Amino acid sequence: MDSLHYYIDGFADDGACLEGLGYFSYGFYYYVGFAELLCRYTKGKIDLLNQEKVRRIALFQQKCYFPSGRTLSFSDANSKDQYRLGLTCLLALRYPEVELPSVACAGGFEADRCYRFLAIYRDVIWTRRYLEKYSVNFCPTEEGQENVSSICESDWHRQRAKCETHISQPDNMQMDCGRDKPYIIQPGGICAEDNRYIVLPDAQWSIARGSSGGGMACKGGTNGEPHNHNDVGSFLYLLGTEMLLTDLGTGEYTKAYFSENGRYQILCNRSLGHNVPVVDGKEQQAGGQYRCDFFESDGRGRTVIHFASAYGNSAVRDLIRTLEYDAASERLVVEDVLKTDSAMPEREKENRCASVSVTMRENLITEYLPEIEAETIVIKGKEHACRITVEGATGPITAEEKSHTDHRGNRRVVYCLSWETPMGGCGERRCRFLVEPC
């Protein structure tokens, strides 16, 4: 039982799984499976699901979905993740605030290439239980039995089809990927009633959903998180189903990927593979001490992140990123301010102003071939496009082609967009850029 408590302690207090959505599904499925059996065995005397933090964990999944079906890809996550229908049905039966994303986003019979029995079996029986509760016709086994022999691919697809029909009806429980049903405001996560803005204050994540079905998300946190990426202060930007400014998510799991010396040589794990600046020619460093210094989000699209400590550069007194996102227009304004002299007494500034010169080079990641003209970048997907307008870049904006190997071992081309930021007042560099649909 102690190990189960340690498992729950591994989640942030707001219910977030810092390892990513896939690890939430994997681990929580086993926890809930055991918890349900233990509750039945003890005739309800031990109910591990009757905990406030467990309830907040159950609500985490729906916060990771954008209306288009794309998912948050922070840490070792996947931007096209698939949820487990059985687990979600069981959680929806237990916690009325839980919402089912579109069944089109659910993993099928072969979603788990290891075919783990607990998840496959319960995908059927817990989905069946959900459908039975809401009086949806299905093909039952013999009365009072949940026959293991009925767990086959065809039965799975029948249950999934019936569930999809059920939750796609707008008058039936209002469960249609959460687009019409407001989220509930929870102590462990701020949600606007119109379902556009979410804040997970303990994980230091801010999530916004745009009118096209895409959105924006950004994070603070530390560089010592489980399945860590050096990504303090990073953000991603989607229009519809297309992540135009990306978080690459998980890479291919190799020996180097989990080695101390090799992990941060891999693009998707190092800060160069994220939408964060390069400071004085250096990337962010790995370790819990390299962290966000201050995180604040108003739940209406404005987030402020102080993250100078992520770089470990003693000459940098503060690095402030402000993101302002409007869900209706899907316009995102990002402003970065680097300060080197804010903590100095006035009498010292004159002497050090000329000598302290810390550079800052902006860095953005996209999987689409960018078009650059002067201070404007256009990124075109198949259905959507965005324009990035940079204010006052020093020198040209460049696009460097890089290679990324995804979790399944597929090599993909990505582009690092970068430009130098101008020197402002004594010891300060400032950059502002606008991202908008075009």
Side-chain angles (χ1 to χ4, degrees):
M1 293 293 289
D2 285 344
S3 64
L4 296 177
H5 296 310
Y6 294 142
Y7 170 71
I8 294 300
D9 288 344
F11 288 83
D13 286 341
D14 52 28
C17 176
L18 299 180
E19 296 169 313
L21 185 56
Y23 283 100
F24 160 84
S25 299
Y26 173 72
F28 204 47
Y29 219 138
Y30 283 94
Y31 180 89
V32 173
F34 176 80
E36 192 208 25
L37 290 174
L38 182 63
C39 187
R40 286 165 56 185
Y41 180 77
T42 61
K43 295 181 170 53
K45 293 180 181 179
I46 302 177
D47 185 2
L48 297 176
L49 299 184
N50 188 25
Q51 303 178 63
E52 174 57 24
K53 186 172 181 180
V54 173
R55 184 189 68 83
R56 292 198 294 267
I57 293 169
L59 297 177
F60 170 70
Q61 174 178 268
Q62 64 205 46
K63 297 171 183 176
C64 293
Y65 272 88
F66 293 97
S68 64
R70 294 296 294 267
T71 51
L72 282 180
S73 51
F74 294 152
S75 189
D76 275 346
N78 184 339
S79 68
K80 297 180 180 179
D81 214 330
Q82 296 177 309
Y83 72 93
R84 300 307 301 237
L85 188 55
L87 173 63
T88 309
C89 284
L90 189 282
L91 295 176
L93 289 171
R94 184 61 189 261
Y95 309 104
E97 307 96 320
V98 168
E99 300 186 2
L100 278 75
S102 168
V103 177
C105 302
F109 183 80
E110 296 184 351
D112 178 4
R113 291 180 290 172
C114 295
Y115 299 98
R116 296 174 179 90
F117 179 77
L118 180 144
I120 291 177
Y121 178 47
R122 282 161 178 77
D123 269 347
V124 175
I125 65 171
W126 286 350
T127 302
R128 181 183 291 147
R129 189 182 304 173
Y130 176 88
L131 297 174
E132 184 178 29
K133 179 177 175 63
Y134 295 111
S135 301
V136 180
N137 292 327
F138 65 98
C139 300
T141 56
E142 295 180 15
E143 185 176 356
Q145 296 183 1
E146 290 170 336
N147 192 343
V148 176
S149 66
S150 70
I151 308 304
C152 62
E153 186 170 3
S154 59
D155 190 27
W156 156 248
H157 286 300
R158 285 198 299 271
Q159 303 300 337
R160 172 176 169 148
K162 293 179 179 69
C163 193
E164 183 166 10
T165 301
H166 171 58
I167 69 171
S168 65
Q169 297 172 358
D171 296 326
N172 197 347
M173 298 300 294
Q174 290 188 321
M175 290 184 176
D176 57 342
C177 203
R179 299 187 188 188
D180 296 328
K181 179 182 177 183
Y183 277 65
I184 308 299
I185 298 178
Q186 301 297 344
I190 304 167
C191 256
E193 290 184 0
D194 61 8
N195 191 22
R196 291 185 297 177
Y197 304 108
I198 300 168
V199 181
L200 293 168
D202 299 301
Q204 297 186 338
W205 292 6
S206 179
I207 306 158
R209 298 184 170 106
S211 56
S212 69
M216 186 279 298
C218 59
K219 70 181 296 291
T222 81
N223 286 337
E225 295 173 349
H227 284 256
N228 181 67
H229 291 198
N230 289 345
D231 61 353
V232 176
S234 189
F235 71 95
L236 53 86
Y237 178 86
L238 301 93
L239 291 176
T241 61
E242 296 174 324
M243 193 177 288
L244 300 178
L245 290 175
T246 190
D247 186 303
L248 296 170
T250 183
E252 182 182 20
Y253 283 0
T254 62
K255 181 179 180 180
Y257 198 91
F258 291 101
S259 71
E260 184 177 350
N261 296 325
R263 183 172 183 85
Y264 300 105
Q265 302 301 314
I266 298 170
L267 183 65
C268 66
N269 297 329
R270 57 192 289 194
S271 67
L272 188 68
H274 294 84
N275 297 307
V276 294
V278 175
V279 174
D280 225 19
K282 304 294 185 182
E283 299 179 39
Q284 293 184 11
Q285 298 187 50
Q289 69 271 35
Y290 303 107
R291 60 190 306 114
C292 172
D293 303 302
F294 177 81
F295 179 91
E296 182 178 62
S297 189
D298 64 4
R300 297 187 299 274
R302 187 175 191 271
T303 303
V304 179
I305 304 170
H306 294 240
F307 61 117
S309 292
Y311 293 86
N313 187 332
S314 61
V316 178
R317 306 297 176 176
D318 205 356
L319 177 55
I320 309 163
R321 167 162 282 182
T322 303
L323 304 101
E324 297 191 51
Y325 179 81
D326 178 70
S329 67
E330 300 185 287
R331 288 164 53 97
L332 170 66
V333 177
V334 181
E335 182 178 62
D336 291 336
V337 179
L338 182 146
K339 298 181 179 181
T340 60
D341 63 341
S342 59
M344 296 181 195
E346 288 293 328
R347 64 180 180 273
E348 296 182 18
K349 289 185 180 179
E350 285 188 18
N351 296 331
R352 292 196 57 183
C353 188
S355 61
V356 175
S357 179
V358 177
T359 63
M360 181 172 71
R361 188 171 182 86
E362 290 291 355
N363 181 66
L364 301 177
I365 309 298
T366 183
E367 296 187 65
Y368 299 92
L369 181 64
E371 300 175 4
I372 302 172
E373 184 174 349
E375 295 186 343
T376 299
I377 308 164
V378 175
I379 301 173
K380 295 180 180 179
K382 293 181 179 179
E383 297 180 359
H384 298 274
C386 73
R387 179 189 301 109
I388 304 171
T389 305
V390 178
E391 294 184 5
T394 301
I397 298 172
T398 63
E400 184 179 358
E401 185 176 307
K402 299 281 188 179
S403 177
H404 165 61
T405 305
D406 67 20
H407 192 55
R408 293 182 178 268
N410 301 312
R411 290 191 178 274
R412 288 153 45 187
V413 173
V414 300
Y415 301 91
C416 292
L417 300 163
S418 64
W419 63 92
E420 293 288 347
T421 59
M423 175 73 80
C426 181
E428 179 177 296
R429 290 186 182 272
R430 183 183 300 266
C431 179
R432 188 173 186 270
F433 55 94
L434 166 67
V435 187
E436 59 185 337
C438 65

